Amino acid sequence: MLTAFYLVLLAVIGLLVLQVAASKRYRGRVLGLAARLRDTPPTRDIDIALPPMVADFARRAGADPARPMRAASFNQTAELRLKQGGPFHKIEAWQVVSLGRAGFVWDARQPFGPLTRLRVIDAFVGGEGLLEARLFGTIPVASARGVEIDLGEAYRYLAELPWMPDAILGNPDLTWRVTGPDTAEVRMPTREGVARVTFRFDAQGDIVAMEAKDRPARGPDGVTHRYDWHGRFGDYQEIGERRLPTFGEVGYVYPSGYEVYFRGRISNYHLAP
């Protein structure tokens, strides 16, 4: 009985050692991608060409075209569905976004006691998308690249612009147009096509919802499908130097109906000039 206990203990210790080593390698990759984002050009003063409702939103958030910024970073505590119809899993994430050019790196982990059960990198760097997941930080369970992934990640960058008011005012990759009394569309070209996201503003001028048509999504069968994509934002607060929605959620409109797959809150917002 005692021998069995020591064998289990040694196995746990071995797994912890392997995970620490894998975590360091994984973190090194993330930091390398983040460094590339921080090397991109800073924001430029382009807000004069923006629709008033869009420019007003960004300025009220604290963005200033006279203060160029390269990147922003923040933490997330969230719940994520790993497959359609599946249960939500609690995750913790750190994200870096570039502001003068489109790009982001999202490093998420699913805690499992002292271990990390699942580690996910979701990134859009240099116009190329990357999605990778590893079990216990070592065993690959998902990996995706290609033009469809590039386009899907471009959609994500656009959808998260409420968390990037400096990019709204100063990213020349983006083109805006008013589509209704309380809606505006933003576009960005990619190698696969043009990503488009429409935002809805409330009576106070805050962005409260987004939607997009035909966003690529990788199914559990490995096949890429195109689904309409919806999200909402809320609970605006001052975080660091910006007034931002602290809550956000997104989901797909599947043939069976709409289903949220991510919902979470952000904190610890920092800007890098």
Side-chain angles (χ1 to χ4, degrees):
M1 189 72 175
L2 193 58
T3 300
F5 170 78
Y6 281 119
L7 287 174
V8 171
L9 180 61
L10 287 172
V12 171
I13 292 173
L15 186 58
L16 283 170
V17 170
L18 287 174
Q19 184 158 99
V20 168
S23 179
K24 287 182 177 179
R25 291 194 300 269
Y26 213 82
R27 188 63 172 172
R29 290 186 60 203
V30 170
L31 293 177
L33 292 170
R36 289 178 60 188
L37 293 183
R38 292 192 175 99
D39 284 340
T40 56
T43 53
R44 294 163 46 188
D45 188 357
I46 61 170
D47 75 311
I48 192 171
L50 296 177
M53 76 168 75
V54 175
D56 289 348
F57 169 84
R59 286 182 174 277
R60 193 168 61 256
D64 182 353
R67 293 182 61 203
M69 294 289 172
R70 292 181 185 274
S73 62
F74 51 89
N75 295 103
Q76 289 179 335
T77 54
E79 293 180 307
L80 178 70
R81 274 195 176 106
L82 301 176
K83 63 179 181 179
Q84 183 184 351
F88 277 104
H89 299 274
K90 291 184 178 181
I91 61 167
E92 301 168 356
W94 177 71
Q95 183 164 335
V96 178
V97 295
S98 54
L99 302 172
R101 286 292 187 270
F104 67 86
V105 178
W106 187 69
D107 177 21
R109 59 182 294 270
Q110 181 188 5
F112 183 65
L115 304 174
T116 294
R117 181 182 180 189
L118 187 69
R119 195 79 179 263
V120 179
I121 293 179
D122 196 18
F124 185 60
V125 179
E128 297 183 351
L130 166 67
L131 177 60
E132 183 178 296
R134 289 178 180 267
L135 192 63
F136 297 110
T138 58
I139 305 170
V141 293
S143 181
R145 292 177 180 267
V147 291
E148 289 280 359
I149 298 298
D150 299 346
L151 181 59
E153 302 295 23
Y155 272 94
R156 173 171 173 170
Y157 181 84
L158 296 182
E160 295 184 350
L161 283 170
W163 290 331
M164 297 177 266
D166 295 84
I168 292 175
L169 286 190
N171 187 337
D173 292 345
L174 313 180
T175 302
W176 293 84
R177 70 184 182 98
V178 172
T179 55
D182 61 353
T183 57
E185 179 193 72
V186 60
R187 301 181 183 185
M188 183 173 67
T190 75
R191 295 183 300 170
E192 178 64 7
V194 178
R196 295 179 174 86
V197 169
T198 297
F199 292 107
R200 180 166 59 83
F201 297 74
D202 66 11
Q204 287 72 47
D206 289 332
I207 292 175
V208 294
M210 78 84 189
E211 63 179 47
K213 291 187 175 296
D214 299 326
R215 187 199 182 207
R218 183 68 62 94
D221 54 1
V223 176
T224 299
H225 304 271
R226 296 288 187 105
Y227 297 124
D228 288 355
W229 195 42
H230 294 177
R232 65 186 184 95
F233 297 93
D235 196 11
Y236 278 76
Q237 297 181 30
E238 298 284 341
I239 309 179
E241 298 180 57
R242 297 293 180 261
R243 178 181 178 272
L244 305 169
T246 60
F247 172 81
E249 70 172 32
V250 289
Y252 284 114
V253 182
Y254 298 107
S256 57
Y258 176 67
E259 182 177 290
V260 172
Y261 67 84
F262 172 90
R263 58 192 182 204
R265 292 186 171 274
I266 71 167
S267 61
N268 301 321
Y269 193 88
H270 300 284
L271 290 162

